[in-house]
Amino acid sequence: MNIVSTTPAVARTAAPLDAPTPASITNAQAIHQAGTLVLPFLEHGKPVTTAALRTAMTTSFGGSDAQGSWVWKDAYEALETAQVLFLRRFGPPILSRSTTPRATLAMMKRIAELLPTHTRRSEIPVSRYDAAHIDDHLAL
């Protein structure tokens, strides 16, 4: 008698242990993919919310930050990737239509204001005044 029994429905959906895993992509490729998913927001002049960024990252990495698939530092790199992609496409027209450097800077500022600030952290910050740090400096 088998202690563990498997229903037919579970048996049909369970992958065998030797099944090949889906092709994995590198961290850089996933960040680039997330940047391309965020790019339409910039192209349409719409703000990129943290929820939209999280969705792009989860889609690109195949898992959430809570699952450990990516960290917020990666998300901010994806935002920077989206900015670079945007400027590669729209930078020359912006420069050609700007009459002064101040006008160019104003347009760039508007683009930057569409992005969330870098306020989320994935790692627990370590206080620079913790006891060990203070002891190290006192020992000198």
Side-chain angles (χ1 to χ4, degrees), residues 131-140:
H133 184 76
I134 292 171
D135 289 342
D136 289 343
H137 283 287
L138 292 175
L140 297 174

Side-chain angles (χ1 to χ4, degrees), residues 53-69:
L53 179 57
R54 179 180 280 121
T55 300
M57 293 297 291
T58 301
T59 300
S60 297
F61 279 85
S64 70
D65 57 330
Q67 295 168 324
S69 298

Side-chain angles (χ1 to χ4, degrees), residues 28-97:
Q29 290 169 323
I31 288 170
H32 182 270
Q33 181 179 344
T36 59
L37 292 173
V38 171
L39 181 59
F41 286 91
L42 299 179
E43 291 174 335
H44 295 110
K46 297 187 180 199
V48 179
T49 63
T50 53
L53 179 57
R54 179 180 280 121
T55 300
M57 293 297 291
T58 301
T59 300
S60 297
F61 279 85
S64 70
D65 57 330
Q67 295 168 324
S69 298
W70 54 273
V71 294
W72 279 97
K73 181 182 177 292
D74 295 333
Y76 298 130
E77 289 181 12
L79 288 174
E80 291 169 4
T81 301
Q83 286 177 302
V84 169
L85 294 172
F86 180 86
L87 290 174
R88 285 184 68 193
R89 183 178 214 177
F90 296 105
I94 288 172
L95 290 173
S96 68
R97 293 180 186 161

